[in-house]
Amino acid sequence: MSLQLNEFHLPLTPEELLKSGGVSQYVVQEILSIKNLPSQLKAFQTAFQAQGPLAILEHFDTVYSILHHFRSIDPGLKEDTLEFLIKVVSRHTQELPAILDDAILSVSDRSAHLNALKMNCYALIHLLESFETMISETGLIDLDLGGKGKKSRAKSAHGFDWEEERQPILQLLTQLLQLDIRHLWNHSIIEEEFVSLVTGCCYRLLENPTIGHQKNRPTREAIAHLLGVALTRYNHVLSASVKIIQMLQHFEHLAPVLVAAVSLWATDYGMKSIVGEIVREIGQKCPQELSRDASGAKGFAAFLTELAERVPAILMSSMCILIDHLDGENYMMRNAVLAAMAEMVLQVLSGDQLEEAARNTRDQFLDTLQAHGHDVNSFVRSRVLQLFTRIVQQKALPLTRFQAVVALAVGRLADKSVLVCKNAIQLLASFLANNPFSCKLSDADLVGPLQKETQNLQEMRAERQTAAVSSVLDPEEEWEAMLPELKSTLQQLLKLPQEEESLKEIATAETTEEVTGHIRRLLAKASYKQAIILTREALGHFQESEPFSHMDPEESEETRLLNLLGTIFKGPAASTQENNSQGSAENMGPGQSGCKDKPSVSEPEKSRGKDELAKQEMLVQYLQDAYSFSLKITEAIGIISKMMYENTTTVVQEVIEFFVTAFQFGVPQALFGVRRMLPLIWSKEPGVREAVLNAYRQLYLSPKGDSARAKAHALIQNLSLLLVDASVGTIQCLEEILCEFVRKDELKPAVTQLLWERATEKVPCSPLERCSSVMLLGIMARGKPEIVGSNLDTLVSIGLEEKFPQDYRLAQQVCHAIANISDRRKPSLGTCHPPFRLPQEHRLFERLQEVVTKGFVYPDPLWIPFKEVAVTLIYQLAEGPEVVCAQILQRCAKQALEKLVEKSSPQDDLKKTPMLSTFLLMNLLSLAGDVALQQLVHLEQAVSGELCRRRILREEQEHKTKEPKGKNTSTETMEEEMGLVGATAEDTEAELIRSICEMELLDKEQILAAFVPLLLKVCNNPGLYCNPELCAAASLTLGKFCMISATFCDSQLRLLFTMLEKSSLPIIRSNIMIAVGDLAIRFPNLVDPWTPHLYARLRDPAQQVRKTAGLVITHLILKDMVKVKGQVSNMAVLLIDPVPQMAALAKNFFNELSHKDNTVYTLLPDIISRLSDPEGGVDEEPFHTIMKQLLSYITKDKQTESLAEKLCHRFRTTRTERQYRDLAYCLSQLPLTERGLHKMLDNFECFGDKLSDESVFSAFLSVVGKLRRGAKPESKPIIDEFEQKLRACHTRGLDAVEELEIGQGDSQKTPSAKKQSSVSRHQHLASAASDNDFVTPEFRRTARRHPNTQQQVRKKKPRIVFSSDESSEEELSAEMTEDETPKKTTPIRRASTRRHRS
């Protein structure tokens, strides 16, 4: 077999096998034709049965030809070839162990098996790759392989799933590589090309985008194991790491796949070095290069992140290589490194038993994470907060870092990025849920224990200090402490000669005790030198006295002196202790022991004291941390509550979740947030609405309790707390939430049962709890009216029973609950069922009449709100409610007259006017106003709806009884199709209701008309009727009466607006503002001329009035009931109101207004003019704040360009420096584009002369800076030209100012003056003409002005008209008459005036 002698070299490309590369190198002799391939394959199969795997040596050309024609051959042949090659390689794999173990294997046999191995593997792997390429290109998974013969047809029937075929091939190759096949090669060194052949196949399979799918998991695992064998047995580590880096850069889907493989190699195969190699390659990547290669950076980042999750301990040793990427520009790499650090903290560096080195590493990682909480990129800041959230949730954050990380989260709440804010809220919620301090975090509850324990700690420390001081005063210890320094001083003195003068220090009268006491004091004060000198003198002076007589002459002088000093210093104390011990021993009995045991007892006490002090310090530190944490959470609540109404749904949902968590942990301020989220139930976003429902469901519908009744009691208590001091708006929101729960049957029957028991006092409860129970029953009745409808008599007896004093609060809530029986809405067209009404004789109305009329004569402030609800209920449910209310009015008026008669006795002076109590007059007027308003509502809703219902029924009846053939059928049919019949009928009904209101309700024969003179008298005489409550009730009643009739309203509008402006009481001004708002909707034509007076209330000194005016005007403008005029600038002023609620109201108004076409854009010129007006505007800084907010609504390019042109033209009409500074600031805030710049260049002459002002010049330079930031290269020359003109004009303007100051009188000297812009020259000449010392010749002035300025302007410049120029003639005349027009004006003002007149 000559083919066995030729060596098979693995080619880089298939074409290389066709060329001879050297002696004894195998070359493909012939590429067979497609028609010969089946027969040749059968010949190969036959040879295989005879020769085994070595048959490939003679038939390799057949397999090569199949690979060459792969795309063209029959699918059945492809499959047959694949199955056959799998069989060949499998057989070879089984035979190789015996061959490799054969010690007498010849060189030729070894070479033959090596060639066969390489050929078989080459053929199988290339066939595998061919199938994979075909599947990837065509996107086919199941190949319909048809063919001739029984076998092919069977395979075609069963189908061919390539994804199932790959795994066995890979497993076969793995088994092959696990054999010790290197012995087939010379020197047992396997060639790199063979390893690359097998591993390259794996890498090419990984490039398939679908490899990450779940169905391909077996293939992925097979690839990982095959590469794992190559790594461990064939030194493939370096090549694998380089290949993995390349694949991560080009294939984004491979990161999780490669992470799974690398983690498998590092753990199961023990190849931890592969992790280091890959990380080293990534770490050596240039950060600048990664900033340009976004795809590669994304792959690396995903790989590092997931690898850290799987093998953090192995990756941690290589983290130092990745640190440089934290300073790179690519944020994804920074996120990946930070995520890896967090995983190591979570999985490796957590726990209390860490060594010092591990603790330091953990602290470094956490420091890095905290530092990047302030990263320049919002995605990094957000990622850091997410990582800290995981760390906190898994309780891996050290307690010492709690305050710092909480402070970081609170600070990020003010971040500009919505994503960062959202994650900051999540982190704070995690802190609350996983805090180690307490389940109730109330700073008020923590401050008491903290102060108490701190005081205890201070006392313990003071006691310990006292004990320490007493122990320090022990003479023996003191002597030991001073001995080294004393010895040093003594040695220095002994070297010096003794001074003669020192002998005089001891007086003759001094005794031994006095000298020793003096020496002891000197030693205590550390005056060692003097003490030694005095001792040496005493030795000579008291040689016979103790303690100076007991001196051993054999000792050195130093030793003698030290012993003597020690005896002196310790002597008295020691002797005293000895005497005391002897005395105490004498006094002890025989059964008592001395004080020798005392030291042994004190040692345990000392250690016990230290332990107690340490425990107390830990306790105080714990309480201090808990208190600080609580304060931070409280601070966060204040910030988060302001984010509840953000535009981003996800942020709002996170805010709601946070407040739920905070409320569950007992943070007191959380109740504020829980209440504040209530209005979100009306949100148009389903996610927000559902979040609110879930929050209240979680907080209130799952109370703790052992039984259903206990849970119901807890639920009612929680809901009752929400109702305490709740506003009407809050109660309406709670109604909506509870109705939703009732409709879904989420409230258990036990809750309703307990509410009825509390309402009927079957269960003991306070009056307030009883009232709240009735309120909750009424709220639930909106969802299910039968809750109240079936117990109507019970409710009447609960709240309207005869008793004194009457509980009007309970009665009011009973009326509210009963009102929910019927639908308050206007009946819809086509409703055939009559509305729910009760007869006039019903007990409900009898009791209401009785309670209202009896309470009328008593000064109870709760009677007025009850009376209003009672009248509303009567009109809502009674048949003929006007009769019932007329009776109430008559009875109350009769009682008032009786009281008046009682006060005017016959003995009184006849000239003296009888006086009625203020509260009676107030009650009477208030009752009349309520009846008037409800009568109007009754007519326009109930009566009108009933008329419509009856008409529809009548028409339906007529339609049924109508004969099929009529005379006017065609005409009637035409009218019906055009909708004229129904429209005419509706107009007739509306006209009927209107005529009743106009002609009858306030007719002299009607009962309401009787109250009009009294009402007008009170309103017209505020000095006589000065009671604030009476005036407020009268003003409200007047507004309600005006709602009835247009005629009456027109006659009383002047009185209303006079009270609105002149009244000294804010409550009256607020009430009238609300009334006028309603009138503007009902009678818009009547109120329209008075609109400026409405806007004027926006600058009212009282906050209450400003708020009311803001709400009313917002409602009217957004509902298009009032024309938006320039006076809306008063609303803009509220943006800088010192009261935050007012500023928020104004901001909300302009936010909504910005959605209405071009309204804000249209109003801006007028607002700018009014706010910058020196007489009625605002200061400069507030002006900037307002305009920055308003100009942020201008986002369209056309609006920006047009507004820039308008503002440029307004420079000509400015009268003060402040005005053109304001205009320049407004221009600087516009988002100008290149077209906007062209507009400014075209109108440069309008503002060129103002550039001498530094503020104006700076504003225009900021415009240039903004234009440069996003400018295209072709736009830069225009921007440069504009900047050059700005700078040139700025310099020339300054020169002109200097010339004017010097007072040069010749205006026609220099040529530069002739080159000035027409506007600038125009203004200079005008100013010169007004100067007595300088007059320009007439002929020169006219010759220069007309051709150059006016004519050109009229030709080129279009006429700019502002909304203020379109005002009505009445408004213009009201602002300024001809006589009031200033006589001295600038020429520009004269030109403007002429334009108005023309």
Side-chain angles (χ1 to χ4, degrees):
M1 297 195 306
S2 60
L3 290 175
Q4 295 183 15
L5 302 176
N6 295 331
E7 185 179 356
F8 182 80
H9 289 270
L10 291 170
L12 295 176
T13 61
E15 289 76 14
E16 290 184 9
L17 289 173
L18 300 174
K19 304 172 185 177
S20 177
V23 181
S24 300
Q25 180 175 342
Y26 178 82
V27 178
V28 175
Q29 301 297 322
E30 179 186 5
I31 298 178
L32 304 176
S33 62
I34 295 177
K35 64 180 181 179
N36 294 328
L37 289 178
S39 60
Q40 291 297 323
L41 180 62
K42 287 183 180 179
F44 184 16
Q45 292 172 343
T46 304
F48 172 72
Q49 292 175 358
Q51 302 175 19
L54 296 180
I56 189 70
L57 298 175
E58 296 180 358
H59 295 275
F60 181 79
D61 289 7
T62 303
V63 179
Y64 184 88
S65 300
I66 292 174
L67 292 173
H68 183 78
H69 296 296
F70 185 81
R71 294 180 180 275
S72 305
I73 61 178
D74 185 72
L77 182 61
K78 297 176 186 177
E79 184 183 350
D80 290 343
T81 306
L82 180 65
E83 288 184 359
F84 178 63
L85 284 176
I86 293 174
K87 188 184 296 183
V88 171
V89 175
S90 178
R91 176 87 169 272
H92 205 179
T93 304
Q94 294 171 4
E95 293 177 358
L96 273 176
I99 295 170
L100 293 172
D101 292 340
D102 188 359
I104 59 173
L105 183 68
S106 65
V107 175
S108 60
D109 290 343
R110 180 179 60 79
S111 178
H113 280 286
L114 176 60
N115 283 340
L117 175 65
K118 291 195 286 186
M119 287 180 174
N120 287 328
C121 290
Y122 177 86
L124 179 61
I125 288 172
H126 275 268
L127 191 61
L128 170 66
E129 291 176 357
S130 299
F131 270 106
E132 184 69 20
T133 303
M134 183 180 67
I135 295 298
S136 300
E137 289 178 355
T138 59
L140 297 176
I141 297 176
D142 294 323
L143 294 177
D144 187 10
L145 299 176
K148 296 180 181 180
K150 183 177 178 181
K151 184 177 180 181
S152 297
R153 285 195 298 271
K155 289 180 180 177
S156 176
H158 291 90
F160 178 76
D161 192 350
W162 169 241
E163 288 162 354
E164 291 182 0
E165 296 290 334
R166 287 182 304 199
Q167 184 188 0
I169 300 173
L170 295 169
Q171 290 175 343
L172 178 60
L173 292 173
T174 305
Q175 294 173 9
L176 178 63
L177 289 186
Q178 286 174 338
L179 301 176
D180 202 7
I181 59 175
R182 67 177 184 273
H183 295 301
L184 293 176
W185 277 266
N186 294 328
H187 309 295
S188 298
I189 299 176
I190 193 168
E191 59 183 297
E192 185 65 30
E193 288 80 1
F194 182 79
V195 179
S196 299
L197 173 69
V198 179
T199 57
C201 161
C202 297
Y203 297 132
R204 278 186 283 276
L205 287 175
L206 289 174
E207 293 174 5
N208 188 342
T210 63
I211 195 67
H213 295 178
Q214 180 63 28
K215 60 184 178 182
N216 291 326
R217 182 178 178 182
T219 304
R220 294 198 304 270
E221 293 177 350
I223 292 172
H225 285 292
L226 176 54
L227 290 174
V229 173
L231 288 169
T232 53
R233 300 178 67 89
Y234 301 103
N235 196 22
H236 186 60
V237 175
L238 185 59
S239 301
S241 60
V242 173
K243 189 62 180 178
I244 287 173
I245 293 296
Q246 292 173 352
M247 297 179 74
L248 286 172
Q249 282 183 288
H250 297 95
F251 302 99
E252 293 184 4
H253 69 278
L254 278 185
V257 177
L258 292 176
V259 165
V262 171
S263 59
L264 176 72
W265 302 336
T267 53
D268 293 4
Y269 287 89
M271 295 300 297
K272 297 181 180 180
S273 59
I274 187 71
V275 176
E277 288 293 334
I278 296 172
V279 172
R280 187 176 296 107
E281 291 289 337
I282 296 175
Q284 290 174 354
K285 292 288 181 181
C286 179
Q288 287 76 18
E289 180 184 343
L290 287 177
S291 65
R292 294 188 294 269
D293 181 16
S295 176
K298 185 176 181 181
F300 293 150
F303 178 81
L304 289 174
T305 303
E306 295 195 32
L307 188 64
E309 293 176 3
R310 288 178 176 260
V311 285
I314 300 173
L315 183 60
M316 190 166 69
S317 59
S318 305
M319 280 302 295
C320 57
I321 305 171
L322 299 172
I323 296 297
D324 289 342
H325 286 294
L326 289 175
D327 299 324
E329 295 181 10
N330 192 282
Y331 76 90
M332 291 182 286
M333 288 301 297
R334 298 205 296 276
N335 275 348
V337 177
L338 294 172
M341 290 181 176
E343 288 298 333
M344 291 161 196
V345 170
L346 286 169
Q347 299 186 41
V348 183
L349 302 174
S350 60
D352 299 330
Q353 308 301 324
L354 292 177
E355 297 179 357
E356 187 67 26
R359 193 178 295 111
N360 292 337
T361 304
R362 180 196 64 188
D363 292 342
Q364 289 175 5
F365 286 171
L366 291 174
D367 287 339
T368 305
L369 282 170
Q370 283 180 233
H372 282 273
H374 304 279
D375 197 281
V376 293
N377 190 284
S378 61
F379 290 107
V380 179
R381 299 196 298 272
S382 174
R383 184 62 173 151
V384 166
L385 295 173
Q386 290 175 352
L387 295 172
F388 270 122
T389 301
R390 282 193 60 209
I391 292 172
V392 171
Q393 287 173 346
Q394 297 189 26
K395 296 180 172 56
L397 186 69
L399 288 179
T400 54
R401 290 189 176 266
F402 254 63
Q403 302 302 327
V405 180
V406 170
L408 173 66
V410 173
R412 289 301 92 203
L413 290 174
D415 201 286
K416 293 181 179 180
S417 169
V418 172
L419 189 62
V420 177
C421 294
K422 172 187 170 183
N423 285 295
I425 297 171
Q426 287 180 343
L427 176 55
L428 288 169
S430 297
F431 268 117
L432 273 174
N434 298 279
N435 81 86
F437 303 114
S438 172
C439 60
K440 297 296 180 184
L441 290 170
S442 170
D443 49 2
D445 295 340
L446 288 170
V447 68
L450 175 61
Q451 292 176 350
K452 179 182 176 183
E453 297 301 332
T454 304
Q455 185 177 356
N456 291 343
L457 177 62
Q458 291 173 350
E459 292 175 357
M460 292 176 70
R461 284 176 175 169
E463 291 175 1
R464 186 168 178 78
Q465 264 186 336
T466 305
V469 169
S470 63
S471 64
V472 166
L473 292 178
D474 184 19
E476 189 67 38
E477 293 182 3
E478 272 194 292
W479 172 254
E480 294 295 331
M482 70 173 68
L483 187 59
E485 189 175 352
L486 179 64
K487 187 182 293 186
S488 175
T489 306
L490 178 58
Q491 290 172 354
Q492 292 176 1
L493 284 176
L494 290 177
K495 295 177 181 178
L496 300 175
Q498 189 173 357
E499 299 178 4
E500 299 295 334
E501 300 85 25
S502 61
L503 295 173
K504 299 178 180 178
E505 289 196 9
I506 301 177
T508 54
E510 284 190 69
T511 62
T512 308
E513 289 77 10
E514 292 175 347
V515 173
T516 54
H518 191 192
I519 293 171
R520 192 180 300 112
R521 286 193 296 272
L522 289 173
L523 290 173
K525 291 189 295 183
S527 301
Y528 303 134
K529 182 178 179 180
Q530 296 180 12
I532 294 169
I533 294 173
L534 185 60
T535 304
R536 293 173 71 181
E537 294 175 358
L539 281 172
H541 199 274
F542 302 105
Q543 294 179 358
E544 304 297 330
S545 304
E546 292 288 342
F548 303 103
S549 58
H550 296 286
M551 301 295 293
D552 190 353
E554 295 182 359
E555 293 178 346
S556 64
E557 185 177 2
E558 179 183 346
T559 305
R560 290 202 306 270
L561 286 173
L562 283 175
N563 291 336
L564 179 59
L565 287 170
T567 304
I568 293 172
F569 186 76
K570 298 183 290 184
S575 61
T576 305
Q577 288 176 359
E578 289 173 4
N579 293 335
N580 290 340
S581 63
Q582 289 174 2
S584 60
E586 289 174 359
N587 294 329
M588 286 182 185
Q592 294 174 328
S593 59
C595 60
K596 292 181 181 180
D597 296 335
K598 195 170 184 180
S600 61
V601 175
S602 64
E603 287 301 325
E605 291 179 355
K606 285 182 181 180
S607 62
R608 204 162 40 244
K610 288 181 181 179
D611 292 343
E612 290 177 0
L613 182 62
K615 288 179 182 178
Q616 187 67 21
E617 287 175 345
M618 291 173 63
L619 176 60
V620 171
Q621 186 62 45
Y622 167 80
L623 290 173
Q624 182 63 53
D625 290 344
Y627 180 68
S628 302
F629 179 73
S630 177
L631 289 180
K632 278 293 180 185
I633 293 298
T634 304
E635 179 187 352
I637 284 176
I639 302 172
I640 294 174
S641 63
K642 297 176 183 176
M643 302 165 65
M644 194 170 286
Y645 293 90
E646 288 285 338
N647 295 327
T648 310
T649 302
T650 54
V651 172
V652 177
Q653 291 171 332
E654 289 299 334
V655 170
I656 292 171
E657 285 296 323
F658 172 80
F659 276 111
V660 170
T661 306
F663 186 80
Q664 290 173 337
F665 277 88
V667 181
Q669 294 79 4
L671 183 60
F672 168 74
V674 171
R675 283 186 175 181
R676 199 164 188 265
M677 74 173 71
L678 276 170
L680 292 173
I681 192 64
W682 311 108
S683 174
K684 297 177 183 178
E685 291 288 340
V688 174
R689 176 183 169 85
E690 192 59 34
V692 175
L693 288 173
N694 286 335
Y696 276 81
R697 189 178 288 115
Q698 190 175 347
L699 291 176
Y700 295 105
L701 294 192
S702 302
K704 296 179 181 179
D706 299 331
S707 61
R709 188 173 180 84
K711 291 181 178 179
H713 184 269
L715 188 149
I716 293 171
Q717 285 295 112
N718 292 336
L719 291 176
S720 299
L721 285 176
L722 274 180
L723 296 173
V724 175
D725 299 329
S727 63
V728 177
T730 300
I731 293 175
Q732 287 178 347
C733 299
L734 193 60
E735 279 184 5
E736 184 67 18
I737 292 174
L738 288 181
C739 285
E740 192 72 22
F741 293 157
V742 171
R743 292 189 196 106
K744 294 180 179 179
D745 291 325
E746 295 186 47
L747 288 177
K748 304 298 181 184
V751 177
T752 310
Q753 179 66 28
L754 184 58
L755 285 173
W756 278 113
E757 290 178 5
R758 291 176 62 166
T760 54
E761 293 186 307
K762 291 182 180 179
V763 174
C765 60
S766 66
L768 193 60
E769 290 175 337
R770 188 185 186 197
C771 186
S772 66
S773 299
V774 174
M775 187 184 297
L776 288 172
L777 284 171
I779 291 172
M780 293 166 63
R782 279 195 57 206
K784 285 186 179 179
E786 58 270 18
I787 292 177
V788 170
S790 59
N791 296 280
L792 181 59
D793 294 336
T794 306
L795 269 182
V796 172
S797 61
I798 287 173
L800 303 175
E801 59 187 4
E802 295 183 13
K803 59 181 178 180
F804 186 84
Q806 186 73 41
D807 187 353
Y808 291 113
R809 183 182 283 109
L810 179 61
Q812 181 181 350
Q813 295 306 324
V814 166
C815 292
H816 277 305
I818 296 174
N820 287 329
I821 294 176
S822 68
D823 192 357
R824 302 180 187 180
R825 295 170 295 180
K826 187 175 181 179
S828 59
L829 296 178
T831 304
C832 298
H833 300 288
F836 175 75
R837 293 273 172 180
L838 297 174
Q840 293 181 13
E841 299 79 17
H842 195 277
R843 182 167 174 265
L844 169 64
F845 306 123
E846 292 178 1
R847 293 306 311 146
L848 284 174
Q849 283 190 61
E850 192 68 25
V851 175
V852 170
T853 51
K854 281 189 176 181
F856 174 77
V857 294
Y858 297 105
D860 192 334
L862 295 176
W863 179 84
I864 289 182
F866 160 70
K867 164 264 311 173
E868 181 180 356
V869 177
V871 171
T872 304
L873 182 61
I874 291 171
Y875 271 97
Q876 184 180 340
L877 291 181
E879 290 281 359
E882 62 277 359
V883 177
V884 180
C885 288
Q887 293 173 359
I888 295 175
L889 268 177
Q890 287 174 347
R891 291 172 64 179
C892 291
K894 184 178 179 181
Q895 292 184 78
L897 290 173
E898 290 173 356
K899 292 289 183 181
L900 190 62
V901 172
E902 289 176 6
K903 289 197 173 185
S904 57
S905 59
Q907 292 80 14
D908 292 342
D909 189 359
L910 295 176
K911 294 183 181 180
K912 189 173 181 181
T913 305
M915 301 293 290
L916 185 65
S917 298
T918 303
F919 79 89
L920 284 175
L921 186 55
M922 177 182 67
N923 289 352
L924 188 61
L925 292 178
S926 179
L927 178 61
D930 291 338
V931 173
L933 181 62
Q934 291 303 320
Q935 182 64 38
L936 173 65
V937 173
H938 177 67
L939 285 172
E940 293 205 337
Q941 290 188 1
V943 175
S944 176
E946 181 63 14
L947 288 174
C948 179
R949 187 185 70 84
R950 293 180 181 182
R951 172 172 53 80
I952 292 173
L953 288 176
R954 188 169 57 252
E955 290 174 355
E956 290 178 355
Q957 189 68 25
E958 290 175 357
H959 185 70
K960 290 178 182 178
T961 59
K962 190 176 181 181
E963 294 181 0
K965 295 183 179 180
K967 296 181 179 179
N968 300 325
T969 53
S970 61
T971 308
E972 291 176 0
T973 304
M974 185 181 298
E975 290 181 352
E976 288 177 0
E977 289 177 355
M978 297 176 65
L980 297 177
V981 176
T984 305
E986 287 181 8
D987 291 342
T988 304
E989 293 165 2
E991 183 61 27
L992 173 63
I993 299 298
R994 192 193 67 79
S995 63
I996 293 173
C997 294
E998 287 289 338
M999 306 297 180
E1000 298 183 18
L1001 286 187
L1002 295 180
D1003 186 69
K1004 293 182 179 180
E1005 296 179 359
Q1006 300 296 326
I1007 188 170
L1008 289 176
F1011 295 93
V1012 172
L1014 177 62
L1015 174 63
L1016 294 179
K1017 186 175 182 181
V1018 174
C1019 291
N1020 279 307
N1021 297 279
L1024 181 61
Y1025 302 97
C1026 57
N1027 184 274
E1029 295 177 351
L1030 174 61
C1031 293
S1035 63
L1036 270 179
T1037 302
L1038 179 60
K1040 293 174 181 178
F1041 270 74
C1042 288
M1043 290 285 292
I1044 295 175
S1045 165
T1047 307
F1048 183 78
C1049 176
D1050 192 25
S1051 63
Q1052 304 304 325
L1053 269 181
R1054 184 174 297 277
L1055 173 59
L1056 268 178
F1057 279 98
T1058 301
M1059 296 171 67
L1060 179 63
E1061 292 199 3
K1062 304 293 184 182
S1063 176
S1064 59
L1065 299 173
I1067 183 64
I1068 294 179
R1069 300 201 296 276
S1070 294
N1071 287 344
I1072 296 177
M1073 191 70 205
I1074 296 172
V1076 171
D1078 293 336
L1079 291 174
I1081 295 174
R1082 183 162 173 78
F1083 307 120
N1085 295 332
L1086 294 179
V1087 179
D1088 186 63
W1090 301 90
T1091 305
H1093 298 278
L1094 292 178
Y1095 285 109
R1097 288 305 95 209
L1098 291 170
R1099 292 201 175 192
D1100 196 282
Q1103 174 192 341
Q1104 177 186 0
V1105 181
R1106 291 200 307 276
K1107 182 179 179 181
T1108 306
L1111 290 170
V1112 170
I1113 291 177
T1114 298
H1115 179 71
L1116 293 176
I1117 290 177
L1118 296 181
K1119 296 292 183 183
D1120 296 321
M1121 301 308 301
V1122 167
K1123 184 180 178 182
V1124 187
K1125 298 184 179 180
Q1127 291 95 340
V1128 79
S1129 60
N1130 292 331
M1131 181 69 85
V1133 175
L1134 292 182
L1135 287 168
I1136 55 169
D1137 197 281
V1139 182
Q1141 292 86 349
M1142 298 302 303
L1145 173 64
K1147 186 177 180 181
N1148 182 60
F1149 167 75
F1150 283 107
N1151 284 340
E1152 295 296 328
L1153 194 64
S1154 65
H1155 301 316
K1156 293 175 68 68
D1157 299 329
N1158 300 325
T1159 309
V1160 176
Y1161 159 74
T1162 308
L1163 291 171
L1164 268 175
D1166 275 350
I1167 293 176
I1168 293 171
S1169 296
R1170 291 173 185 271
L1171 294 182
S1172 62
D1173 187 4
E1175 296 178 1
V1178 295
D1179 293 336
E1180 199 159 356
E1181 282 301 321
F1183 177 86
H1184 290 176
T1185 306
I1186 294 171
M1187 296 316 302
K1188 187 174 183 180
Q1189 177 66 37
L1190 295 183
L1191 290 169
S1192 66
Y1193 300 118
I1194 307 300
T1195 55
K1196 298 178 182 177
D1197 290 345
K1198 288 186 178 180
Q1199 291 183 352
T1200 304
E1201 295 158 16
S1202 178
L1203 189 58
E1205 187 175 17
K1206 288 183 179 182
L1207 292 177
C1208 288
H1209 281 279
R1210 288 231 165 173
F1211 273 97
R1212 290 181 166 178
T1213 63
T1214 54
R1215 292 172 291 170
T1216 62
E1217 293 181 1
R1218 160 71 195 285
Q1219 286 178 317
Y1220 57 71
R1221 285 202 304 270
D1222 288 346
L1223 289 174
Y1225 177 80
C1226 293
L1227 278 171
S1228 70
Q1229 294 301 309
L1230 287 174
L1232 289 171
T1233 59
E1234 184 180 349
R1235 294 181 61 181
L1237 176 60
H1238 281 292
K1239 293 285 185 184
M1240 294 181 70
L1241 279 169
D1242 293 341
N1243 296 279
F1244 193 86
E1245 59 182 15
C1246 297
F1247 56 83
D1249 59 319
K1250 308 297 191 301
L1251 289 169
S1252 57
D1253 187 284
E1254 256 332 302
S1255 300
V1256 177
F1257 180 63
S1258 300
F1260 278 97
L1261 282 184
S1262 70
V1263 172
V1264 173
K1266 288 182 180 179
L1267 287 168
R1268 285 191 188 282
R1269 277 197 283 272
K1272 299 177 182 177
E1274 56 268 21
S1275 304
K1276 290 185 178 179
I1278 308 171
I1279 300 172
D1280 293 338
E1281 177 192 350
F1282 181 59
E1283 185 177 6
Q1284 289 171 7
K1285 291 185 72 172
L1286 288 175
R1287 294 188 182 279
C1289 213
H1290 174 59
T1291 308
R1292 185 166 67 246
L1294 290 175
D1295 295 338
V1297 170
E1298 291 175 2
E1299 290 175 6
L1300 286 174
E1301 288 178 354
I1302 295 171
Q1304 294 177 350
D1306 235 345
S1307 65
Q1308 46 216 1
K1309 286 182 181 179
T1310 60
S1312 62
K1314 297 180 182 180
K1315 296 180 181 178
Q1316 290 183 358
S1317 66
S1318 60
V1319 177
S1320 197
R1321 182 168 61 251
H1322 183 88
Q1323 291 185 349
H1324 292 163
L1325 292 174
S1327 61
S1330 63
D1331 196 341
N1332 295 328
D1333 297 333
F1334 174 71
V1335 178
T1336 305
E1338 184 66 24
F1339 72 95
R1340 296 200 57 165
R1341 182 183 61 177
T1342 55
R1344 294 174 61 186
R1345 283 183 59 187
H1346 289 287
N1348 296 332
T1349 59
Q1350 291 184 357
Q1351 290 180 4
Q1352 291 181 6
V1353 170
R1354 288 177 183 174
K1355 286 180 182 179
K1356 294 183 179 180
K1357 299 298 176 186
R1359 181 180 178 186
I1360 305 299
V1361 181
F1362 302 108
S1363 57
S1364 57
D1365 300 332
E1366 298 173 346
S1367 302
S1368 63
E1369 294 181 1
E1370 293 178 2
E1371 290 178 357
L1372 287 174
S1373 61
E1375 291 175 2
M1376 185 176 291
T1377 62
E1378 184 66 28
D1379 297 333
E1380 295 171 340
T1381 305
K1383 304 304 178 187
K1384 284 181 87 174
T1385 59
T1386 63
I1388 293 176
R1389 294 291 289 177
R1390 285 201 295 275
S1392 176
T1393 306
R1394 282 196 295 273
R1395 285 200 300 271
H1396 279 300
R1397 292 176 182 172
S1398 58

